[in-house]
Amino acid sequence: MKKLMYLASCFCGVFLFGQTPSEPITIYNQEDIKVASYNYEGLEAFLKKKNDTIYVINFWATWCAPCIKELPHFENIGKQYANNKVKVILVSLDFPKKVESNLIPYIKRKQLQSEVIHLDDPDANSWIEKVNEKWSGAIPATIIYKNDSYSFYEQSFTFEELEKEVLIKINE
Amino acid sequence: MKVFKIVLGVSLFVLISAFTLTKSEMSGYEIGDKATDFKLKNVDDKMVSLSDYKDVKGYIVIFTCNHCPYAVAYEDRIIALDKKYKKLGYPVLAINPNNPEVQEKDSFELMKVRAKEKGFTFPYLFDEGQKIYPQYGATKTPHVYVLQKTKEGNIVKYIGAIDDNHADEEAVKVKYVENAVDALLKNKEVSVKVTKAIGCSIKA
């Protein structure tokens, strides 16, 4: 009996903790557009990749006017510097109930080419400092990193400003 | 003549540097700092200052606005905070820090409309010229400062979020502002003094 309970607890352990951290909590799928939704633990895998790609991670939301204004610059950076191993990931902070009504229609309408993922983790105080200790929580905010070379920006970008920061990483 | 220009340039530079904000001023208040009073226009067209409140123990100052979905998500909770704590000596004062030339939905006229629609029980003030929010160091809406009124002035006791779940009031586990004010009312130390939350950047 004891043995059985031991086995059962092992099974439960695997069941509870066996999930890989980068697994999305939900995948929204609508009009041929898929958006994976992560909690912070899942998002973290995108912020700490160890390879020779330059990741440009932008925190935004469809309702955030300065975010929408700078979004085309991120799209253009992704296109222009694709051959330099630059990858843009747009992390949407839209409210979960707005993903299907606002986010996915926006992606479709603007034909966004960059990868869009959704962050659904309401206890922001628990993870904002893990993203970056300098971050106050205001969006837009952007991370540009390659391996251990990491830069954080709580600001809006013009194309030139963004390109300058990306070029610094390319030329490192 | 050239030398004169250089001297002029250098002295101008020194003069400008002298008036540039120091780092601590730019990054705003920390816990224990004395918060500035203000005189800002309320949605009823009257001017409001902290010092207008005579029989209070402190203030819940909230930088918030009309347009930001996070601010909107918290409107009812801000009203509830005011209703609960005004009678205990901690009234809410809401301040819109945004420049309506950048975000037209945050104009003074639309503040009046929103205050009326929602039945705000607290003053909703306009930071005209955007002079107050940088002193506090607010970076986003909503952004809360709990101040305790003392003989030495209004001391910052809590900075940050209202609670730990903007999206779903039902799912809130920790009410940061309530906990802070409750502690102050009992003359206890505020246990969680600073929190962070996602919010809309202030439109300067």
Side-chain angles (χ1 to χ4, degrees):
Chain A
M1 187 60 198
K2 252 187 184 170
K3 205 174 175 185
L4 199 66
M5 276 176 71
Y6 175 70
L7 275 175
S9 62
C10 279
F11 177 72
C12 282
V14 169
F15 186 70
L16 286 173
F17 304 110
Q19 246 184 350
T20 53
S22 58
E23 217 165 276
I25 46 176
T26 319
I27 297 174
Y28 295 92
N29 190 352
Q30 190 177 297
E31 300 175 56
D32 295 330
I33 293 171
K34 278 186 187 166
V35 175
S37 188
Y38 296 87
N39 57 17
Y40 178 72
E41 201 181 274
L43 175 77
E44 209 166 36
F46 293 89
L47 309 181
K48 293 181 174 171
K49 289 192 192 288
K50 301 284 180 202
N51 54 46
D52 58 356
T53 300
I54 295 157
Y55 291 94
V56 180
I57 316 271
N58 176 243
F59 292 88
W60 69 297
T62 56
W63 47 259
C64 164
C67 304
I68 295 309
K69 198 176 163 194
E70 66 174 7
L71 212 61
H73 309 324
F74 286 84
E75 284 279 284
N76 288 339
I77 285 288
K79 275 178 221 156
Q80 282 191 29
Y81 291 95
N83 294 335
N84 301 73
K85 291 198 166 181
V86 172
K87 181 168 170 61
V88 174
I89 300 175
L90 304 173
V91 182
S92 157
L93 288 162
D94 280 273
F95 289 11
K97 61 182 178 209
K98 299 282 186 184
V99 171
E100 283 164 324
S101 61
N102 292 14
L103 176 61
I104 290 179
Y106 185 86
I107 295 169
K108 187 166 179 149
R109 196 166 69 244
K110 298 287 177 182
Q111 298 182 317
L112 297 186
Q113 300 301 307
S114 310
E115 182 177 356
V116 179
I117 60 175
H118 180 247
L119 177 59
D120 179 8
D121 201 332
D123 183 12
N125 185 52
S126 69
W127 53 260
I128 286 174
E129 292 219 335
K130 290 183 195 165
V131 174
N132 190 278
E133 59 182 26
K134 282 187 274 177
W135 191 13
S136 80
I139 56 171
T142 299
I143 294 165
I144 303 175
Y145 81 96
K146 182 171 133 187
N147 264 314
D148 295 327
S149 170
Y150 177 100
S151 305
F152 174 80
Y153 312 85
E154 182 173 325
Q155 63 168 82
S156 297
F157 280 103
T158 62
F159 179 78
E160 289 72 24
E161 287 165 346
L162 184 61
E163 186 178 40
K164 187 178 151 217
E165 299 303 318
V166 169
L167 283 172
I168 290 172
K169 286 280 180 288
I170 290 173
N171 294 324
E172 261 174 12
Chain B
M1 189 58 200
K2 203 177 174 189
V3 173
F4 174 70
K5 271 185 183 167
I6 291 169
V7 170
L8 189 73
V10 169
S11 32
L12 258 177
F13 177 73
V14 170
L15 203 66
I16 291 166
S17 311
F19 285 100
T20 309
L21 295 173
T22 62
K23 193 178 172 289
S24 71
E25 280 171 303
M26 274 176 68
S27 55
Y29 294 142
E30 287 173 12
I31 299 300
D33 285 352
K34 191 162 82 176
T36 186
D37 200 351
F38 42 73
K39 194 171 184 182
L40 299 174
K41 199 197 275 182
N42 190 12
V43 284
D44 65 2
D45 292 310
K46 290 178 184 146
M47 302 304 278
V48 172
S49 298
L50 294 174
S51 58
D52 296 341
Y53 293 74
K54 297 300 173 199
D55 298 315
V56 295
K57 293 170 183 161
Y59 312 87
I60 303 171
V61 176
I62 306 180
F63 292 91
T64 188
C65 67
N66 298 335
H67 91 276
C68 172
Y70 282 88
V72 172
Y74 272 112
E75 281 172 336
D76 290 340
R77 281 174 266 183
I78 294 172
I79 294 169
L81 273 176
D82 185 58
K83 284 185 174 165
K84 181 172 177 184
Y85 288 103
K86 185 154 52 188
K87 55 180 186 273
L88 298 172
Y90 275 86
V92 166
L93 288 93
I95 302 175
N96 167 22
N98 286 339
N99 181 354
E101 283 172 26
V102 182
Q103 176 49 264
E104 57 188 27
K105 288 175 190 162
D106 288 328
S107 71
F108 186 61
E109 288 311 309
L110 291 176
M111 284 171 63
K112 289 182 173 183
V113 172
R114 194 59 186 162
K116 200 171 175 190
E117 273 172 2
K118 291 299 294 182
F120 284 174
T121 55
F122 45 83
Y124 186 24
L125 310 173
F126 182 48
D127 189 2
E128 196 163 12
Q130 303 191 284
K131 297 200 169 63
I132 297 303
Y133 90 80
Q135 294 187 57
Y136 277 70
T139 56
K140 60 190 182 293
T141 52
H143 202 151
V144 183
Y145 293 76
V146 174
L147 314 178
Q148 186 178 39
K149 191 176 173 181
T150 72
K151 280 176 199 155
E152 285 77 43
N154 298 312
I155 308 299
V156 179
K157 291 289 182 178
Y158 171 80
I159 303 172
I162 291 170
D163 58 40
D164 69 350
N165 195 322
H166 63 270
D168 184 2
E169 196 180 341
E170 302 292 311
V172 168
K173 290 190 194 79
V174 189
K175 296 181 172 181
Y176 300 121
V177 169
E178 291 204 18
N179 290 351
V181 179
D182 286 344
L184 293 171
L185 287 170
K186 289 179 198 153
N187 286 319
K188 283 186 179 161
E189 182 91 4
V190 175
S191 57
V192 179
K193 297 181 178 71
V194 180
T195 60
K196 287 189 173 181
I198 296 294
C200 305
S201 58
I202 289 176
K203 310 298 182 281

